[in-house]
Every structure is written in C-alpha cells, then in structure tokens.
Amino acid sequence: MTANELSKSEKKDSIIYGVAVGFLTIIFSVISVYYTKIADSYGNLFVVSTILKLLGAIVVPVGFVYLLKVKIGSLWTFSKALKSIYIVLAASIIVSSVGVTLFQKVIAPKETIEAGYQNLMNLKIEDMEASGATEEEIDQQLVVIEQDRDFAFTKISFQNVVPPMFISLLLNFVFALVLAFLFRSHVKKTS
C-alpha cells in the first residue's frame, strides 16, 4: 500500500463520519421545517435557517473532517486527505438526501409542511410590503415559494431524488479539494 492509499479502517472511519454528518443534517432540516411553521418574523426565519444551513453544510462537515484527521493521526497527504474527505462528504450527502426526502414526503405530517409554507408566504409578504416592494415583485417571490411547495408535495421518484444528489456530489468535490488543501499534512521537501 502506498502513502496515498487509504486503509480499510480509514475508509470505514470516513464512511462512519459521513453517515454521522448526514444524520445531523437531517436533524437540522427537521428543525428548520418545524421552525418555519412557528416563526414570527421573516428576519428571524432567515437568520435561523441560515445558521442551520451553515451548520449542516460547512461547520459540522469541517468539524468531522478535523476529528477524522486527528483519529487517523498519520501523514495526511493531499491525495489521502482528498479521498478521506470526499468519502465523508459523499456519505453525508447520500444519507441526508435520502433522509430529508423521506422526512418531507413520507414522515412529516402534510399539514405541518403546508403550515410552514403558508407561514413563509405570509412572513415574506409582510417583509416585502414593509420594505416597499411592488405587487409584481411580491407575486414573483410567491411564485418561487409555491413552486418549492409543489415540489415538496410531489411523490418520491428517481427524477426528484437522484439528479439533485449527483449535483451535490459534484459541488462537494470542490469543497473536498479545498478542505484537503487546508487539512493536509505539510511535507517538507529535503534536497
């Protein structure tokens, strides 16, 4: 085995950490759905949803990558770091995509999802009216929210689960490159 190859235990640890990140992302999504239903202002909703998205998409994955690097403890070349990190991100995307889809389309009560979207629309209208938006601008925003709501109520299918997952996998490869660059072990060249 070369210095750039992952051992079975390193692959296993990366998958386990990725599954953990995926489950945490599902939890953040569930919190977001229920908070959207009870939010009392668009500003609060925006802040809470942004924090939850940052936690799920950046903070938690970076934290688990750091923990993985500490656990592995050996020399983490760029190649080895990239492979490990991408396994973590890919596992988390697969788990969270499937989990969030199942939650929204099967587990969560439809009334909760509908109430969340209705509250979101009401808060968006209030916020835009307070900022002096025109009726046309408000209608454009409501159309976007209604399209999102309609998608949330579609049945589970290959078309609405797999393509978004693959897009996330591609985008997260770039994220894995950045993290691998940041978390790699610095190797000093000897002459």
Side-chain angles (χ1 to χ4, degrees):
M1 184 166 83
T2 67
N4 290 329
E5 288 182 44
L6 297 178
S7 68
K8 284 184 181 181
S9 70
E10 289 170 330
K11 290 176 187 175
K12 180 182 169 188
D13 289 341
S14 296
I15 291 170
I16 291 169
Y17 281 44
V19 169
V21 171
F23 277 116
L24 287 172
T25 303
I26 293 169
I27 291 168
F28 296 143
S29 295
V30 170
I31 291 169
S32 179
V33 166
Y34 283 98
Y35 184 75
T36 300
K37 181 182 169 185
I38 63 166
D40 59 354
S41 77
Y42 186 75
N44 289 344
L45 179 60
F46 179 78
V47 169
V48 170
S49 65
T50 301
I51 289 170
L52 291 172
K53 286 177 185 173
L54 286 173
L55 281 172
I58 298 173
V59 175
V60 170
V62 169
F64 273 83
V65 165
Y66 175 76
L67 293 174
L68 183 62
K69 180 181 180 180
V70 169
K71 181 170 183 170
I72 291 174
S74 63
L75 182 66
W76 228 25
T77 62
F78 178 79
S79 176
K80 200 170 190 175
L82 178 61
K83 291 171 188 171
S84 296
I85 293 168
Y86 192 66
I87 291 172
V88 169
L89 295 177
S92 73
I93 289 166
I94 292 167
V95 168
S96 64
S97 294
V98 171
V100 169
T101 300
L102 286 174
F103 171 75
Q104 287 183 338
K105 297 184 183 296
V106 177
I107 299 169
K110 300 293 182 217
E111 304 80 38
T112 301
I113 304 290
E114 180 61 41
Y117 277 106
Q118 193 58 50
N119 192 37
L120 173 61
M121 286 191 270
N122 292 338
L123 294 175
K124 188 67 176 173
I125 290 169
E126 288 173 17
D127 183 64
M128 291 184 78
E129 285 176 346
S131 66
T134 65
E135 286 294 321
E136 185 178 318
E137 292 170 330
I138 293 172
D139 289 342
Q140 288 174 349
Q141 288 298 312
L142 292 180
V143 167
V144 172
I145 294 170
E146 288 171 353
Q147 287 173 343
D148 192 34
R149 181 186 62 196
D150 292 344
F151 179 76
F153 287 117
T154 60
K155 294 187 181 216
I156 296 176
S157 69
F158 179 86
Q159 184 178 8
N160 63 20
V161 175
V162 176
M165 189 185 313
F166 277 109
I167 291 169
S168 292
L169 288 168
L170 289 172
L171 293 174
N172 272 277
F173 183 74
V174 175
F175 187 40
L177 285 169
V178 172
L179 291 178
F181 179 76
L182 295 173
F183 282 99
R184 75 191 189 286
S185 299
H186 296 283
V187 180
K188 294 180 182 175
K189 293 185 178 183
T190 56
S191 37

